Amino acid sequence: MTDITSSGLKVLVVDDSQTIRRSAEMFLKQGGHRVVLAEDGFDALSKINDFQPDLVFCDILMPRLDGYQTCAIIKRNGRFARIPVVMLSSRDGVFDKARGRMVGAEEHLTKPFTRDQLLQAVAAHAALATQETGAH
């Protein structure tokens, strides 16, 4: 078993804003993680298949396939259902968070996020992944 904390996680960041994608990439790489970027849900679905990330950060408001739809498709696929999905949104209302949970998202992070918030979310899911793999 590989040590997730020392080797870093494979993280997919899905957002139609290049600024958000690039800042998330910079923060995650500073935290020692490997990062792949996708600009919308369709792009994300093909990259999940190739990259098989440990964690997905997914924007909610995107053209063509929104974050809720993208998360639901990930969670319905038997190969990818265990990948944690953290929704990213400038909207942080109760309804938005509840809808994310309904489609299977583990967490909701409000934009703009800080480096610490992003890395804390990764650390929380890395700890969960370690517990799950250690339990089997």
Side-chain angles (χ1 to χ4, degrees):
M1 185 174 91
T2 57
D3 181 7
I4 292 174
T5 51
S6 66
S7 62
L9 294 178
K10 292 187 289 184
V11 182
L12 175 63
V13 178
V14 188
D15 200 300
D16 58 330
S17 161
Q18 182 173 359
T19 305
I20 296 290
R21 285 195 311 270
R22 293 294 174 207
S23 59
E25 178 183 37
M26 182 180 69
F27 294 156
L28 290 165
K29 284 187 172 178
Q30 287 171 356
H33 305 291
R34 290 171 285 158
V35 183
V36 168
L37 304 174
E39 57 190 52
D40 63 34
F42 288 110
D43 190 22
L45 295 174
S46 68
K47 288 183 175 171
I48 279 179
N49 194 43
D50 297 339
F51 184 59
Q52 300 195 4
D54 300 306
L55 177 64
V56 176
F57 285 99
C58 187
D59 184 25
I60 293 175
L61 298 173
M62 296 184 292
R64 300 197 306 158
L65 194 64
D66 73 21
Y68 296 125
Q69 294 165 315
T70 303
C71 182
I73 291 168
I74 292 167
K75 294 299 183 174
R76 273 189 242 138
N77 183 313
R79 284 181 58 205
F80 309 123
R82 293 179 60 98
I83 299 172
V85 177
V86 176
M87 304 307 287
L88 297 175
S89 179
S90 52
R91 298 164 58 178
D92 66 347
V94 172
F95 175 77
D96 299 299
K97 292 177 181 180
R99 188 165 174 210
R101 285 209 174 19
M102 285 171 57
V103 295
E106 277 73 15
E107 195 175 337
H108 184 104
L109 200 59
T110 305
K111 296 191 287 188
F113 46 79
T114 66
R115 176 180 180 271
D116 288 344
Q117 287 172 319
L118 199 65
L119 293 177
Q120 282 171 359
V122 173
H125 292 288
L128 285 173
T130 304
Q131 287 172 359
E132 285 178 12
T133 56
H136 297 306

